[in-house]
Amino acid sequence: MMLRIKALALLQTHISHYPLVVRRVHQLASIKHVCVLPERRRQGLLYPFSSLEEHLSSQVSQEEFKIFHPSLEELRQAETLFTPSSKHSIDYSTSAVRIDHVPLLKQPEVCFMGRSNVGKSSLIRALFSLVPEVDVRVSKTPGHTKKLNFFTVGKAFTLVDMPGYGHNAPRDFVEMVEPYLQERHNLARTFLLVDGGAGLQKVDLVAVEMCEEFNLPYVLVVTKIDRTRQGALLALALQLRDFIKNQTSLCFPQPFLVSSVQFSGIYLLRCFIAHVTGNLQFNAKQS
């Protein structure tokens, strides 16, 4: 435990929130714009692993990477949760530095964790790209934000942006994060981000160990796939598949691949969030 705490003391979210700043909606924020693209590009955006399938050995089952594989209509349904309306507001809610400061919310929560510079803030911005009035700013300075940041998505769920771990993490990271993870009973899933170019780092393994010890269901999300060569990305996907299968018990068996720049995998990840928060039902296999 002491070793883990020391490692997590290296454990930043580098974003700040200005909810009233209005930005333009990205042209690929909505599926309706993706559907008019050529099939190969459309499939790569909606189901990123499809771009790697041609390089996959015949001895490896593609189904292992399609455990969660919703239809286009289901992806559209999930998108409505990330689309604001007069009866469905989406906004930055509040920040907290201690468990006794967090808002008392009954709706399901998901939290995002990752080491410094993994692209967590960019990913959250992409997920909320249909809500231009909620500005999730990406800081160039590691360790910019030192708090738990809460975003409410109507009455459907709350997304929590956790302080990052690694370089420049808050000194009181452990005191801030561990009580939240242990005591937040409405926490439905923890999303652990892994840099596509760097792969699993030692400090990521510490975060995995924490999720396992606290009996938290979690999922691995590979970021920055647009910066990673296909051969290296496929090797990482296979490595993570084996790691999940052999060294974890609570991790969802399918790693998710995302690019916040190209929007690859954003629609699939929105759908998975909608599912694990109970807002979109699938069969038990996809849980």
Side-chain angles (χ1 to χ4, degrees), residues 43-229:
Q43 287 295 108
L45 289 173
L46 297 178
Y47 309 103
F49 190 77
S50 65
S51 301
L52 303 177
E53 288 177 350
E54 62 186 272
H55 306 291
L56 196 63
S57 165
S58 58
Q59 298 178 339
V60 178
S61 171
Q62 297 180 8
E63 297 306 311
E64 294 180 298
F65 297 93
K66 295 181 179 179
I67 297 170
F68 184 79
H69 196 75
S71 66
L72 181 59
E73 179 55 35
E74 288 163 335
L75 292 176
R76 286 195 180 105
Q77 291 177 37
E79 185 175 285
T80 62
L81 280 178
F82 290 83
T83 306
S85 68
S86 59
K87 297 182 178 180
H88 183 69
S89 63
I90 302 174
D91 207 351
Y92 162 73
S93 174
T94 189
S95 297
V97 294
R98 291 287 184 274
I99 186 64
D100 53 348
H101 296 165
V102 302
L104 299 176
L105 301 170
K106 294 183 179 180
Q107 61 200 45
E109 279 183 4
V110 294
C111 71
F112 280 64
M113 292 179 62
R115 66 184 182 87
S116 172
N117 202 35
V118 74
K120 176 161 54 67
S121 50
S122 296
L123 175 56
I124 293 172
R125 174 188 279 182
L127 289 170
F128 287 136
S129 55
L130 291 166
V131 200
E133 61 270 28
V134 176
D135 186 29
V136 183
R137 292 195 174 180
V138 180
S139 172
K140 295 181 180 179
T141 306
H144 183 73
T145 303
K146 308 287 188 181
K147 302 176 181 179
L148 309 175
N149 297 300
F150 292 76
F151 295 86
T152 52
V153 181
K155 297 180 180 179
F157 67 91
T158 302
L159 186 150
V160 184
D161 176 27
M162 308 286 280
Y165 51 79
H167 177 67
N168 240 9
R171 292 182 178 180
D172 56 351
F173 178 90
V174 174
E175 293 79 4
M176 189 188 315
V177 170
E178 284 201 357
Y180 170 83
L181 294 175
Q182 288 181 298
E183 300 176 27
R184 199 64 168 174
H185 300 300
N186 57 333
L187 181 60
R189 194 72 50 127
T190 296
F191 290 76
L192 183 57
L193 277 52
V194 176
D195 190 314
L200 272 177
Q201 301 292 295
K202 288 183 178 179
V203 73
D204 295 321
L205 298 177
V206 175
V208 166
E209 178 189 334
M210 181 169 61
C211 290
E212 293 283 340
E213 182 177 329
F214 294 165
N215 201 34
L216 300 174
Y218 62 104
V219 58
L220 298 183
V221 180
V222 180
T223 63
K224 304 180 184 180
I225 65 171
D226 55 290
R227 300 185 185 181
T228 310
R229 291 177 301 170

